[in-house]
Amino acid sequence: MSNEDTDPENENAQEAMTDGSGSLAVPPDDETPSWGERKARKTGLSRLTYEYFERARREDQDLRQESTYVERDVLGFPTWPHEVIRNLSIASFFVGMILFLSATMPPHIGAPANPSSTPAIILPDWYLYWSFGLLKLNPLNPELAILGGQKIMADRTYGVLANMVVVGFVAIVPFLNKGSARRPVEQPFWAAVGVLGIVFAFTISILAVQNLVPMNLNLLFDLTFLLPIVAGVVTYAVLKTMREGYMYDLNRRYYRLRPPK
């Protein structure tokens, strides 16, 4: 009997590569079947998914054992078959759930609309409330005395320009902030800008449905612009006070795990 047959390490390796029935779950790297061979075997998506997860686990385990770092290394896998099979499995699950829910709980169909009567309140879909609210900024449209108290442009035109300004600002923010921060506490200013924008989208949406809000219109209009500023200032102040302690803990952990050379 050879040494390879009695080597306990080889026996453990063989057991780790099997699926419990004695057959190899994942072939060695030099015997990995091609896409044509996989298709010819007709193993199905379930078997292919199992092989993907098993191989990913083995590769991750091998890299962990070979690594000299104390913390977990960032591992990368090729798109095919790793990412494709994983995403296909997740997408198939959610598509199946959607089909199941649509079959078991069909939506209720209400009475048809009456074309001869106009609803009292006409509103867009909820995710467009912020844009609809920008069309109601009539008090901000300036009136010039030189024109006899007339407005430079119509209120609708003013609202369309307000939409262009807001959308343009949102589009240009990624080009202004080119930092590598991954957490709000690392860049308090831009985190405050993000909170300000989210709160403003919420308040301007409430202004869009002002007919349904039991509040004075002038107070609602003032809160639409004051609350985002207050939220942004509070966010910046809180994150600024947390930043020093956070960076201290982060650097201490980093240099403990990876001492500087």
Side-chain angles (χ1 to χ4, degrees):
M1 183 179 294
S2 61
N3 295 332
E4 295 180 357
D5 297 336
T6 59
D7 192 353
E9 295 183 358
N10 294 335
E11 294 179 358
N12 296 334
Q14 291 293 334
E15 292 178 359
M17 295 173 59
T18 60
D19 57 359
S21 61
S23 60
L24 292 179
V26 179
D29 293 337
D30 56 349
E31 299 180 7
T32 302
S34 62
W35 162 248
E37 294 173 346
R38 289 177 183 270
K39 187 176 181 180
R41 289 190 310 178
K42 298 181 179 179
T43 56
L45 179 61
S46 59
R47 180 68 181 183
L48 199 61
T49 304
Y50 173 77
E51 292 182 0
Y52 153 69
F53 283 111
E54 182 65 20
R55 178 168 295 278
R57 184 190 64 80
R58 288 179 51 200
E59 292 178 357
D60 183 82
Q61 183 178 0
D62 294 341
L63 290 177
R64 284 171 179 265
Q65 293 176 354
E66 298 174 359
S67 175
T68 57
Y69 287 126
V70 178
E71 63 180 359
R72 183 183 187 277
D73 296 325
V74 178
L75 305 179
F77 299 102
T79 303
W80 174 259
H82 296 74
E83 301 296 333
V84 174
I85 295 178
R86 183 189 64 183
N87 295 340
L88 182 61
S89 303
I90 297 175
S92 300
F93 171 77
F94 282 105
V95 170
M97 291 298 298
I98 292 174
L99 294 178
F100 173 76
L101 293 176
S102 62
T104 56
M105 296 183 296
H108 173 69
I109 300 178
N114 186 2
S116 61
S117 63
T118 303
I121 301 176
I122 301 177
L123 295 173
D125 294 333
W126 64 268
Y127 51 83
L128 293 176
Y129 279 0
W130 66 271
S131 180
F132 190 67
L134 292 175
L135 298 177
K136 298 187 177 183
L137 300 180
N138 304 339
L140 296 182
N141 194 359
E143 299 178 357
L144 298 182
I146 193 175
L147 298 178
Q150 297 180 357
K151 297 182 178 181
I152 301 178
M153 63 187 72
D155 292 335
R156 293 183 179 179
T157 306
Y158 187 79
V160 172
L161 291 179
N163 275 271
M164 296 175 60
V165 170
V166 172
V167 174
F169 177 76
V170 173
I172 203 175
V173 165
F175 297 95
L176 298 177
N177 180 22
K178 298 182 179 180
S180 58
R182 302 177 61 182
R183 297 170 179 82
V185 69
E186 297 178 9
Q187 285 191 348
F189 174 77
W190 289 108
V193 171
V195 172
L196 187 148
I198 294 175
V199 176
F200 178 71
F202 178 76
T203 56
I204 200 69
S205 300
I206 296 178
L207 183 65
V209 293
Q210 53 184 306
N211 296 330
L212 304 177
V213 179
M215 184 182 298
N216 182 270
L217 183 59
N218 295 330
L219 178 60
L220 178 62
F221 193 86
D222 295 337
L223 293 178
T224 301
F225 297 94
L226 291 179
L227 286 181
I229 297 176
V230 173
V233 172
V234 171
T235 301
Y236 177 79
V238 172
L239 294 179
K240 191 68 174 178
T241 56
M242 296 172 54
R243 188 173 185 273
E244 183 177 355
Y246 169 79
M247 297 303 294
Y248 172 77
D249 294 337
L250 182 65
N251 292 333
R252 184 179 59 179
R253 188 184 312 113
Y254 177 82
Y255 284 113
R256 185 174 67 251
L257 296 178
R258 290 179 173 155
K261 298 180 180 180

